[in-house]
Amino acid sequence: DKSKYHMKDVVVGKVYFLLVRIKIKHMELNIVRRESAGAALDSQLTENETLSKFEIMDGAPVKDQCVPVRLYMTGFELTPTYKNVQNKFSVRYFLNLVLVDEEDRRYFKQQEIFIWRQKIG
């Protein structure tokens, strides 16, 4: 529900399984940094980097199960989010929830987050 986090904040949430139709093997939470550089859209270079893979569940869930999530962001090399610095550079972060079933198919839910820090000095 929260979209703005301090660099030393904690991501807290819950994943509810209201209906279980697929056989889930495990679930993980990733932090992805997306850097874009370049002036024009056609010459813009985008690079994705997965900063962490945090396994939050192993094994199949049952119906109406709730899995709590708590991810401390202090252990990762994070920088603040920058959007269109002089229309040439941007750094964005995403939380990526990945479900993997028994046939190794992957199901994704991605949410952009904004990371900030207090002013220096």
Side-chain angles (χ1 to χ4, degrees), residues 2-94:
K2 186 176 166 184
S3 66
K4 295 181 181 179
Y5 294 93
H6 188 268
M7 291 173 61
K8 297 179 179 165
D9 213 344
V10 179
V11 176
V12 178
K14 294 178 182 177
V15 179
Y16 293 98
F17 291 93
L18 300 176
L19 186 65
V20 182
R21 289 187 181 171
I22 57 175
K23 301 286 186 186
I24 297 174
K25 187 164 57 173
H26 71 272
M27 178 171 52
E28 60 188 35
L29 185 66
N30 302 334
I31 297 178
V32 178
R33 175 178 24 219
R34 183 173 294 157
E35 296 180 358
S36 300
L41 289 175
D42 56 342
S43 65
Q44 193 171 39
L45 178 66
T46 301
E47 181 177 317
N48 291 329
E49 179 183 4
T50 301
L51 301 177
S52 75
K53 285 191 175 189
F54 183 66
E55 187 171 302
I56 56 178
M57 186 187 74
D58 189 23
V62 294
K63 186 181 178 204
D64 295 328
Q65 183 177 2
C66 173
V67 178
V69 176
R70 184 173 295 252
L71 177 65
Y72 294 92
M73 297 172 65
T74 55
F76 308 116
E77 301 259 345
L78 299 175
T79 61
T81 299
Y82 295 107
K83 285 192 126 183
N84 287 337
V85 178
Q86 296 182 357
N87 287 332
K88 295 190 179 193
F89 182 74
S90 67
V91 178
R92 298 164 62 192
Y93 288 93
F94 294 90

